[in-house]
Structures are given as C-alpha cells and as structure tokens.
Amino acid sequence: MKLLEADLIINPDGSIYHLNLLPEDIADTVITVGDLDRVPEVSKYFDRIELKKGKREFITHTGYIGDKRITVISTGIGTDNIDIVFNELDALVNIDFDTRTVKNQLKSLNIIRIGTSGAVQPDIPMGTVLASSYGLGFDALMHYYEQELSLEEQALLAEINTHFKGLEGIKPYLTMANESLVQQFAHDMPTGITSTAPGFYAPQGRQVRAKNAVANFIGQLNSFKSGENRITNLEMETAGIYALAKTLGHKALSINAILASRVKFEFSSNPNAIVEKAIKTILERI
C-alpha cells in the first residue's frame, strides 16, 4: 500500500519532515537525549563525526567510535516529541521513500535514551545512574496506538491500575525494557519502573501557583510495590519511548541520570557531572 503524502511528509530534498534526515543519515544504534545542547556532549567522544544536521529542536550527529557507527539525536521534551522522533526514525529505515511503501525486510534499531530524572524513593541518591526496567505512562500518547502486551506486562499493569484507581480520567500504560539492551548496557545498574508524566509541574506533583487536582502524587508513586517491582523515578519520555519502540519493532532502553530527590526536596549542585557519568558509561559499552 502506498502511503499518502499527508501521512508521510517528505521534504523536497528527500529528507523526512521534522528530523530533516535522509535514510542514510542514521546508524543502527541511536542515542536519544532531550536537550539539543546535550548532543555535542555525546558526540565529543566520537572518534569522527560524519554528519551534523538540525531542524527545530531535533539536532542529529552521526559518527563513529572505532568502527561502530552511532547516531545521537535530541528529541526535545515530552512524549508528543517522542511520537514524532520515533515514527520518523522508523520511516527512515523501514519505508522506501521513492515508492512510499513499507519495505519487505524490516530493520530493528537499538535506541538508548540518556536523560535526566528525579527519584521518588528515598534510598535512591542523587548521582545514581538508573536503568528503567519498565516505562509507566501517565500521558495519553499510547491511547492512539494499538499495543500488544506480554502476560507479564498485563499482570503488572493490572496491579498498577488498582493502585492508581483514584486518578480520574488517567489510564496508565506500561512497557518493559528490551532485555538484551539491559544486559549489554545496564547489567550492573539499579533498575526500577520509570513513570512518565505529560508535564513538569502539576503532572509531576509540583505546585507553584495553579492548584493541583491530584493530591500527594509522589506518595502515590513511591507507595506502589509488586514483588521486586517498584516505581523509582519520574520524567517525561521513557514510557513513550518503550511503547512506541516495541510497537514499531525496535529495541529501547532508558538510562536516567538522577538529578533530584522528590521526597527529600533536593536538587543536585552539579547536574552536568551526573549526566556526563551516564554518557560515558553508555559509550564505553557500545
């Protein structure tokens, strides 16, 4: 089936609409960061950079560490941007732009998020580099896509829904990390369920002037436990990354630099050092 021009938008130069990338511009291993200024903080460790492109908040560098080709791309903030980035990354590798048809042989990308996050458990100190065992979404992105959950995901999500049954109008979704990426990159890291919020202030339990509709959201997060599974941290992209990656047939892992303790009301005095630690750890294991 030929994809419609309004569904798959290709720029006059043959690049994908938002990312401004050509199919040959991206590697099979993709590192995503939220902040566009963090892209050069990753690519400075490349042995050589072959490509730098950008459009809006989406900055891309592709290069090599040794003979390993790597792409790093900024997504901006939130799962609405994840929707754009992941659909367009998938289109770059799995759609023939000349014929506007899905390729017969599909490619699976390895996608690793290196992002910042706040801990919701008191025993997770600032400076921790934590891998997300699951992404738990409190946003609405995946209500627009069909999902196939494993039995393990279904069982855990049922417990989560029971725990959060008082949240009116909010229907969480849940996706597990790719196990092979966990073993490669995060075998010695602390892990936990990462909750993803659709905003930074009230959706993450903060109150400035506008009154929050959800009382004690952080307490509701850190009081959930199912066997060894507990909610450890809170941010704005991981759940969308995990769910869309699985839906599209890609592998994903989220690595979280813990900059804040939401229960101790503390924020790191040196956040860049924590992010740098996470970047170097992942690149050493590529």
Side-chain angles (χ1 to χ4, degrees), residues 37-48:
D37 290 332
R38 199 171 295 141
V39 172
E41 293 302 308
V42 176
S43 67
K44 71 183 182 183
Y45 292 108
F46 291 1
D47 294 318
R48 67 184 191 276

Side-chain angles (χ1 to χ4, degrees), residues 6 8 26 43 64 75-76 78 82 86 94 101 105 149 167 192 210 213 223 241-242 252 262 264 269:
L8 176 69
I26 65 166
S43 67
Y64 288 82
T75 64
I82 294 303
F86 273 60
N94 288 323
T101 58
Q105 187 168 354
L149 300 185
L167 295 181
S223 60
I241 288 172
Y242 279 12
R262 296 301 311 281
K264 296 181 179 179
S269 59

Side-chain angles (χ1 to χ4, degrees), residues 18-244:
H18 295 94
L19 301 187
N20 198 36
L21 297 174
L22 300 168
E24 62 266 25
D25 290 340
I26 65 166
D28 293 348
T29 297
V30 179
I31 294 172
T32 69
V33 296
D35 186 352
L36 55 87
D37 290 332
R38 199 171 295 141
V39 172
E41 293 302 308
V42 176
S43 67
K44 71 183 182 183
Y45 292 108
F46 291 1
D47 294 318
R48 67 184 191 276
I49 299 173
E50 67 176 30
L51 174 140
K52 292 183 179 181
K53 284 187 176 180
K55 184 179 180 182
R56 303 189 187 193
E57 62 265 55
F58 309 116
I59 304 299
T60 303
H61 291 181
T62 295
Y64 288 82
I65 294 179
D67 60 358
K68 180 72 173 181
R69 192 168 185 247
I70 305 164
T71 291
V72 54
I73 184 168
S74 59
T75 64
I77 298 174
T79 56
D80 51 347
N81 277 11
I82 294 303
D83 180 62
I84 292 169
V85 172
F86 273 60
N87 275 289
E88 294 195 1
L89 285 175
D90 179 74
L92 286 166
V93 297
N94 288 323
I95 294 173
D96 185 317
F97 282 14
D98 293 328
T99 62
R100 291 183 168 272
T101 58
V102 177
K103 294 178 180 179
N104 292 327
Q105 187 168 354
L106 299 179
K107 178 179 286 188
S108 179
L109 298 170
N110 291 329
I111 305 173
I112 303 121
R113 168 191 178 265
I114 302 176
T116 58
S117 186
V120 299
Q121 297 291 347
D123 61 337
I124 299 175
M126 288 183 295
T128 299
V129 177
L130 179 145
S132 304
S133 56
Y134 292 85
L136 172 61
F138 289 92
D139 61 296
L141 174 63
M142 294 310 295
H143 303 324
Y144 294 89
Y145 293 95
E146 293 184 1
Q147 285 184 276
E148 292 186 11
L149 300 185
S150 68
L151 292 177
E152 185 176 345
E153 289 167 335
Q154 290 178 42
L156 184 55
L157 182 57
E159 292 188 59
I160 288 168
N161 282 329
T162 298
H163 180 80
F164 289 100
K165 62 184 177 181
L167 295 181
E168 293 186 14
I170 298 174
K171 185 180 178 183
Y173 62 92
L174 182 80
T175 314
M176 184 186 295
N178 179 266
E179 186 58 34
S180 65
L181 293 186
V182 172
Q183 291 302 315
Q184 179 179 352
F185 293 99
H187 55 274
D188 56 354
M189 293 181 186
T191 60
I193 301 171
T194 296
S195 52
T196 295
F200 186 77
Y201 289 96
Q204 291 192 36
R206 293 182 173 92
Q207 183 164 321
V208 183
R209 281 206 329 114
K211 188 175 180 180
N212 292 9
V214 178
N216 191 27
F217 185 51
I218 299 301
Q220 292 188 57
L221 292 174
N222 65 29
S223 60
F224 174 79
K225 189 171 178 61
S226 172
E228 297 300 313
N229 293 306
R230 63 176 184 162
I231 298 171
T232 50
N233 61 305
L234 177 61
E235 48 73 85
M236 294 181 64
E237 290 87 34
T238 293
I241 288 172
Y242 279 12
L244 260 187

